[in-house]
Amino acid sequence: QVQLVESGGGLVQPGGSLRLSCVASGRIFSINAMGWYRQAPGKERELVAGITWGATTTYRDSVKGRFTISRDNAKNTVYLQMNSLKPEDTAVYYCYADYRVRVNGNVYRNWGQGTQVTVSS
């Protein structure tokens, strides 16, 4: 079984910063990509940022220039540095990992439990 453990959420004032971390552990042969989704109350889950293990990144438009995703391949860890936070960034942030358990095997996706980010004065 593969587990994802997130950390780094919390309460921050508008304009502030937070750094989220997510560590993947368990039966992993290789990771294709990791990233972050978020879900605000009453809204659908949306992709925030993703990064392949070759370091190709993708961001939703509303966070470009403010958020930076990075990864540590050796530690199976992904980070999300969030700067210039806005109240509309308030949501539960979920980490995901796309991985294989054996060479040329199927790609699976697992999710973390979520971490709350609240931006408020």
Side-chain angles (χ1 to χ4, degrees):
Q1 184 65 292
V2 172
Q3 292 184 324
L4 302 180
V5 178
E6 301 138 332
S7 60
L11 172 65
V12 64
Q13 293 186 342
S17 297
L18 284 174
R19 188 191 194 210
L20 306 182
S21 301
C22 176
V23 181
S25 63
R27 190 186 170 202
I28 299 172
F29 174 76
S30 64
I31 293 179
N32 285 12
M34 292 183 73
W36 298 88
Y37 278 70
R38 67 187 180 188
Q39 188 167 21
K43 295 187 177 181
E44 293 187 354
R45 190 174 293 193
E46 60 186 22
L47 176 67
V48 178
I51 185 167
T52 70
W53 246 225
T56 299
T57 59
T58 186
Y59 296 93
R60 71 180 302 103
D61 287 346
S62 63
V63 307
K64 287 179 180 178
R66 300 188 298 122
F67 292 9
T68 302
I69 191 168
S70 60
R71 85 277 185 263
D72 184 330
N73 293 8
K75 296 181 179 179
N76 287 345
T77 300
V78 66
Y79 307 97
L80 186 66
Q81 177 66 43
M82 305 185 293
N83 299 328
S84 302
L85 281 160
K86 303 176 180 180
E88 51 264 42
D89 295 316
T90 296
V92 177
Y93 284 68
Y94 297 91
C95 171
Y96 73 88
D98 295 334
Y99 64 94
R100 301 177 193 269
V101 297
R102 62 180 183 275
V103 62
N104 295 326
N106 293 332
V107 177
Y108 300 97
R109 173 169 287 189
N110 270 32
W111 295 89
Q113 77 285 358
T115 185
Q116 177 69 47
V117 171
T118 302
V119 185
S120 175
S121 55

